[in-house]
Amino acid sequence: MAKRPRRRLDTDRTELLGLDELFVLNGRGDRNNFFAWQHEHELNCCPLCGGKVIKVQDHFAKTYFDYIVDSGHPRVIRLTHEFFKYRCLNEKCRHIFSKEIGFASKFDNVTYRLENEIARKVIEGYSYSLIQGQFQDTISRQAVGQIFHRWTQRKESARAIQDPPSSLAILTGQAGENRYTLFLNLDDGIRVFDVLLGVNSADIGSVIRKIVPGVETVITDCDPTINDAVADYLPSALHIIPVELWLLPAIELYRRYAHEIIKWCTVPRKKSLIMIPRFRITYGDEYALGRLLDARPDVKPAYEDYSRLRGLIERRGELWVYEELMEWADSASEDTKGFMASSLYLLQVYRTEIEAQTQHREAVPARLAEYVSQLEALLSQAKTFSEDVLKARVLYSVNADLKDWRGIPIEDAIRALSGLKTTDKRKRSDFDE
């Protein structure tokens, strides 16, 4: 083995770099350019064959972008790592190698530390362009996107599905202009198992195929694409559509309908009044509602239809769900029927699946619809995102075991998203101070 050359340590910059395996060379580089060497850089055997006879092949250097915090101010630097490559002298091996490093991949040009910082900022709602500006244009916007994509792919590869759920929920959601598909593991509470941007049959099928052997019960909403995928890939599973999940799109339709018929009325709080079921209103609400119905008598049939529908849902544990809903649909006003035609059609199409809820109430977690609504509301606050960003926010903003993946508790995902405070408008960053 060649004699170790003498390399002087720059104590201040080594401490600033903060990587235990590296020290910064004195007399080389500057404030934004660090030249570093491994503390214990030499090898004594071939990692492939274990041969003890090796020789130094050559001296190499590779430059990475890295992220440090200097006097409370974060910034990006160029870190040049210098190292030896070795050759195994075993005639049957002849392997050329270098010592493994832990701060970055040999095949990338950024450190794990910088990758993690970019991922954190994207999850919190920063755009690629804004991150580029915060890093003083040391890396391009395209590079920021590529680094983040590589970070998510590394997470995805670690998230091996080893213990498929026996109870699965597949639901659609809307975040701003984007629709997404949410997979929930219901075996132990409610855990977010996977999430996809869009509602695409092929993508949904690819997730189901990985877990199909273990699924005995599947809960869905009334999205036809999802239900076709369940019929194709999970034909023997018990399929349930909870009435709450059928009701969610129906309520959204009703909100738009109610808005159209009351929008020219001057009664205060009209938007909230029309959405309050009759049996919940206070004296003050009743007075204001009376004014609204006097001013717009055409609102009364729609309001009564909605109140009866909400009343049914409150009593869902007492009744045969499907029959009661059909009685409501038959007696609703013609205007309500016309506006909610698609929901009423789905109510008929998925009769068997909705009736199954009554017989298998224990399979439907009581707070499922509430949790999903909270998650959707939080995602809708964020700016339009890609699938990488969606996965990162929902799955990877929470610390979880990605090697033995069962999903993360939906409460943890909601808590993490609540803490992100994502917004379209960001203040100037600490990079600009």
Side-chain angles (χ1 to χ4, degrees):
M1 182 66 64
K3 184 178 180 181
R4 183 196 296 266
R6 181 179 180 83
R7 293 181 173 85
R8 292 180 298 158
L9 168 70
D10 186 322
T11 304
D12 291 341
R13 288 195 297 164
T14 298
E15 183 177 344
L16 183 60
L17 183 63
L19 293 174
D20 292 339
E21 62 186 304
L22 297 181
F23 68 90
V24 179
L25 299 175
N26 192 19
R28 299 186 61 188
D30 53 33
R31 180 176 179 272
N32 295 314
N33 293 274
F34 290 20
F35 288 79
W37 195 266
Q38 286 176 284
H39 284 289
E40 299 295 334
H41 62 280
E42 293 182 353
L43 292 174
N44 297 316
C45 65
C46 172
L48 189 63
C49 71
K52 297 292 185 180
V53 184
I54 60 176
K55 66 173 291 187
V56 174
Q57 173 78 4
D58 209 341
H59 173 267
F60 291 85
K62 181 173 175 60
T63 299
Y64 300 87
F65 288 103
D66 192 18
Y67 172 85
I68 63 172
V69 179
D70 185 1
S71 301
H73 296 280
R75 58 189 175 90
V76 174
I77 63 167
R78 285 181 172 82
L79 172 63
T80 300
H81 172 227
E82 299 187 351
F83 59 96
F84 285 136
K85 279 192 177 181
Y86 304 88
R87 177 189 290 274
C88 176
L89 298 183
N90 185 339
E91 289 293 335
K92 296 182 178 180
C93 182
R94 292 294 184 181
H95 180 48
I96 297 175
F97 55 93
S98 60
K99 187 175 181 181
E100 293 297 323
I101 57 174
F103 63 89
S105 167
K106 293 179 179 180
F107 307 104
D108 299 332
N109 63 347
V110 295
T111 63
Y112 295 138
R113 185 162 57 184
L114 179 56
E115 278 189 347
N116 291 335
E117 180 62 17
I118 287 175
R120 183 186 69 81
K121 287 187 173 294
V122 174
I123 289 173
E124 288 187 352
Y126 290 84
S127 68
Y128 296 163
S129 297
L130 187 54
I131 295 172
Q132 174 193 4
Q134 292 172 348
F135 291 159
Q136 291 101 39
D137 297 324
T138 51
I139 52 178
S140 67
R141 178 189 179 280
Q142 182 182 16
V144 171
Q146 291 172 344
I147 290 167
F148 178 68
H149 177 74
R150 188 163 58 236
W151 182 88
T152 55
Q153 290 304 305
R154 188 176 293 119
K155 295 283 188 181
E156 287 291 286
S157 62
R159 188 166 58 89
I161 300 173
Q162 300 177 2
D163 187 14
S166 60
S167 296
L168 179 70
I170 311 175
L171 311 171
T172 57
Q174 187 82 23
E177 299 176 352
N178 300 285
R179 293 186 72 202
Y180 61 88
T181 305
L182 187 66
F183 296 81
L184 301 174
N185 180 355
L186 305 181
D187 287 347
D188 180 17
I190 305 175
R191 292 176 171 268
V192 183
F193 193 73
D194 207 342
V195 62
L196 302 172
L197 187 61
V199 186
N200 182 282
S201 181
D203 292 339
I204 294 170
S206 67
V207 174
I208 293 178
R209 281 195 296 271
K210 298 176 184 176
I211 58 179
V212 66
V215 179
E216 299 173 359
T217 303
V218 59
I219 296 172
T220 69
D221 53 26
C222 279
D223 186 275
T225 303
I226 290 179
N227 289 302
D228 287 347
V230 169
D232 290 341
Y233 297 105
L234 298 169
S236 61
L238 172 65
H239 186 188
I240 298 175
I241 298 177
V243 68
E244 300 96 318
L245 299 178
W246 168 83
L247 182 66
L248 288 176
I251 284 180
E252 187 55 39
L253 278 173
Y254 188 87
R255 287 183 187 275
R256 294 199 293 269
Y257 173 45
H259 175 72
E260 287 299 317
I261 60 177
I262 67 174
K263 65 181 179 181
W264 303 116
C265 184
T266 58
V267 175
R269 296 182 57 241
K270 58 186 179 181
K271 289 183 180 179
S272 59
L273 285 173
I274 195 67
M275 304 310 295
I276 301 173
R278 175 173 296 166
F279 55 88
R280 285 186 178 177
I281 62 177
T282 64
Y283 175 79
D285 290 332
E286 188 171 7
Y287 173 76
L289 181 61
R291 287 184 58 201
L292 174 63
L293 299 183
D294 288 342
R296 295 297 307 270
D298 53 331
V299 172
K300 187 172 183 179
Y303 175 74
E304 291 179 343
D305 289 336
Y306 181 72
S307 293
R308 288 193 299 114
L309 179 58
R310 289 293 297 267
L312 285 176
I313 302 310
E314 290 295 319
R315 294 175 42 243
R316 61 185 177 272
E318 309 168 17
L319 50 86
W320 183 263
V321 177
Y322 183 83
E323 296 298 336
E324 294 282 347
L325 286 171
M326 287 307 298
E327 288 180 11
W328 167 83
D330 290 340
S331 61
S333 69
E334 291 303 316
D335 286 343
T336 300
K337 289 180 181 178
F339 196 82
M340 300 180 69
S342 60
S343 292
L344 297 177
Y345 170 74
L346 292 174
L347 180 60
Q348 298 177 33
V349 168
Y350 295 113
R351 170 174 184 158
T352 302
E353 290 80 3
I354 294 174
E355 284 182 334
Q357 177 188 6
T358 305
Q359 302 173 44
H360 302 278
R361 287 296 304 169
E362 72 285 350
V364 184
R367 299 192 66 190
L368 179 63
E370 180 183 345
Y371 279 140
V372 172
S373 296
Q374 289 180 36
L375 190 66
E376 181 171 303
L378 289 166
L379 289 173
S380 295
Q381 296 174 16
K383 194 174 180 180
T384 302
F385 42 65
S386 66
E387 181 160 320
D388 284 345
V389 176
L390 176 64
K391 281 184 178 291
R393 285 182 179 154
V394 177
L395 300 178
Y396 305 136
S397 59
V398 179
N399 290 327
D401 179 11
L402 300 181
K403 298 292 186 181
D404 188 13
W405 181 249
R406 296 174 55 245
I408 57 171
I410 195 168
E411 302 97 320
D412 292 352
I414 289 170
R415 193 178 303 113
L417 287 169
S418 299
L420 294 179
K421 297 179 181 178
T422 51
T423 177
D424 290 350
K425 295 181 179 179
R426 307 295 306 210
K427 295 180 180 179
R428 290 181 68 83
S429 130
D430 46 11
F431 279 80
D432 301 323
E433 296 177 1

